Amino acid sequence: MGLVVKKFGGTSVGTSERIQEVAQTVKASREAGDDVVVVVSAMSGETNRLLELAEALHPNPPGREVDVLLSTGEQVTIALLTMALQQIDCPACCYTGAQVRILTDSAFSRARILDIDAEPLREDLHQGRVVVVAGFQGVDEDGAITTLGRGGSDTTAVALAAALEADECQIYTDVDGVYTTDPRVVPEARRLDRITADEMLELSSLGSKVLQIRAVEFAGKYGVPLRVLSSFEAGPGTLITYEEEGMEKPLISGIAFNRDEAKVSIIGVPDTPGIAAKILGAVSEANIEVDMIIQNISQQGLTDFTFTVHKRDYQATLDLVRENAEKLGARQVFGDDKIAKVSLVGVGMRSHAGVANTMFRSLSDEGINIQMISTSEIKISVVLEEKYLELGVRALHKAFELDVQPVPELEEEASES
Ligand code: ASP
Ligand code: MG
C-alpha cells in the first residue's frame, strides 16, 4: 500500500495482551511492505482515571497542569507498544507529541494543531523503523504540553497522515466500521463499505461517536483517505471518501438519533422585528447551545417559537425563557425533555425529491407524531416523543431498505470481464 498511519484506540491497547496483538497487526503490515506510523490512545479508562485524580485535588483544575497530567496516558502506551514491537523483532521507536513537534495553539484541553515537522519521522521510516506516536497531544510555542480534546488521537492520526502524505489513515476501533444505524436498536443495521466525509460529519455530530468530529473535518480539508476498522477482527471496515462527479450516490446512508435534547416553547409573543434575537440571544449569552429552531406564522400579531437545547441545559433554559417571557409579553412558556431527534443522512438527497415524504409517511404509518422538522442539503431531522425512538428508527431503516446490500453497478462488472 505504501505509507499507512494506523491509530489504535483505548480498548485496542487496554491490556498487555491487546498491546501484543496490536504489535502483531503492525508487524504484519510492515512485512507486507508498508511503511507504518502508529498513533495510540491511552489505555482504556486511563484518561478518566487521571481526570478523577485531578478533580479530587482541585474542583476546577488549571488547564496547563491538566494537560501535563492527561498527556501521560498516551506516553505510557507508546513506550509499551514500542517495547512489544521490539520484542517480536520489529524495529520501532516512539515519540511524544512534543518530541515530534506537533505544534499547537495554547488552548489547553482543546488545542488545535498548527504544524507538524514530519521530516525526522520520514528518516525513521527510511531506516526501516515503525514510528509510534502519542495521540491526543502536542506542544505550544512556549513548550507547554497541550491536549486536543477527548477523542483527539483520531485527529493526531489524520494530521500525521496529512503531513506525511500517507496513502491511508486507518482508525482501528472496537467496532468494525460505520453502520447504517446503531445495531443495538436495529439488529439488521449494515456496515457501510463507504461513506462520504460530509455524511460522516452529519452522523458524528448527531451522536454516532465512531470518530472525533475534528478528525473528519481535518481529513476532509486535506483529502486524507480515512478508514475505520476493527482491531479485533479482520475486515475491510468503512472507507470515508470525498464526493466525486458522477459517483453513484446512495439516497440514504444512515440514520442517526439523539436522546440528549429537550425542547422549549414560548407561545403568544408579539411578532415584532428583533423578537427572535431577544429570546434566543439571551439563551446564547448564557452559553447554551440551541439546535433546532421553529417559528410559527403569526396570527393577530402573535407568534410562537420552539427550539431545542441539550437536556443538561433544559432547566436553565426554561428558567431563562420564563423570566424573559414576562418582559416580552408572551402568553405561555412550556417545555418537554422526553423527546428524541431522528435524522436521515444521505448525499443522494441533493438530487432526489420525495425523501421527506417517505420519511413522514413511514412514521405516520406507525402512529408516530412528528413534533418538529428541520432539513439541510443532506439531512432531514424530526423530533418525536422519546418512547417512539426505537420504533421510528426501525420503521425508517426498513422504509429506506438500509438492511439490503446495494447491488454493485452492472456496467462496471461488465467492463471488468
Ligand atoms: N485518551 C484520550 C481520550 O480518552 C484521547 C483519545 O483516546 O483519543 O479522550
Ligand atoms: Mg475514540
Side-chain angles (χ1 to χ4, degrees), residues 17 27 44 51 55 72 77 114 127 155 216 264 276 291 293 312 317 320 358 376 391 399 416-417:
E17 291 72 32
K27 188 183 182 194
S44 56
L51 272 174
E55 278 153 14
T72 62
T77 3
L114 301 174
Q127 301 287 330
T155 301
V216 183
V264 173
D291 182 30
I293 307 170
R312 67 167 173 253
T317 309
L320 194 73
T358 309
S376 80
L391 180 63
E416 260 169 31
S417 59

Side-chain angles (χ1 to χ4, degrees), residues 41-42 47 74 136 150-153:
S41 289
T47 309
E74 274 71 11
F136 175 59
R150 300 307 302 268
S153 299

Side-chain angles (χ1 to χ4, degrees), residues 136-309:
F136 175 59
Q137 55 181 266
V139 62
D140 74 1
E141 257 189 348
D142 304 325
I145 294 174
T146 54
T147 65
L148 310 180
R150 300 307 302 268
S153 299
D154 293 346
T155 301
T156 304
V158 172
L160 277 170
L164 288 159
E165 290 166 30
D167 295 286
E168 201 166 283
C169 180
Q170 302 173 339
I171 309 280
Y172 287 78
T173 174
D174 44 5
V175 293
D176 68 345
V178 179
Y179 275 69
T180 48
T181 193
D182 187 339
R184 284 169 300 189
V185 169
V186 184
E188 296 79 23
R190 193 171 45 78
R191 182 183 54 78
L192 295 160
D193 289 326
R194 296 166 160 260
I195 187 168
T196 69
D198 288 339
E199 290 168 322
M200 189 67 213
L201 277 176
E202 291 287 3
L203 292 174
S204 1
S205 61
L206 293 165
S208 315
K209 296 178 189 72
V210 184
L211 284 175
Q212 199 200 29
I213 291 182
R214 220 189 249 186
V216 183
E217 285 169 356
F218 210 107
K221 193 162 155 201
Y222 294 95
V224 177
L226 194 60
R227 189 184 293 277
V228 175
L229 62 184
S230 161
S231 21
F232 306 117
E233 46 190 297
T238 300
L239 182 67
I240 290 140
T241 60
Y242 307 95
E243 256 178 277
E244 289 155 36
E245 281 301 312
M247 197 175 93
E248 178 68 19
K249 297 182 181 80
L251 190 54
I252 302 299
S253 287
I255 305 174
F257 54 84
N258 184 345
R259 301 174 214 256
D260 297 336
E261 287 185 33
K263 65 170 186 175
V264 173
S265 301
I266 172 162
I267 308 296
V269 272
D271 193 6
T272 51
I275 192 76
K278 275 183 199 140
I279 297 169
L280 296 165
V283 175
S284 87
E285 265 161 38
N287 268 322
I288 296 171
E289 212 176 304
V290 173
D291 182 30
M292 281 168 131
I293 307 170
I294 288 179
Q295 180 187 356
N296 284 347
I297 53 160
S298 63
Q299 277 183 322
Q300 282 129 23
L302 297 178
T303 188
D304 313 328
F305 279 93
T306 301
F307 59 94
T308 64
V309 294

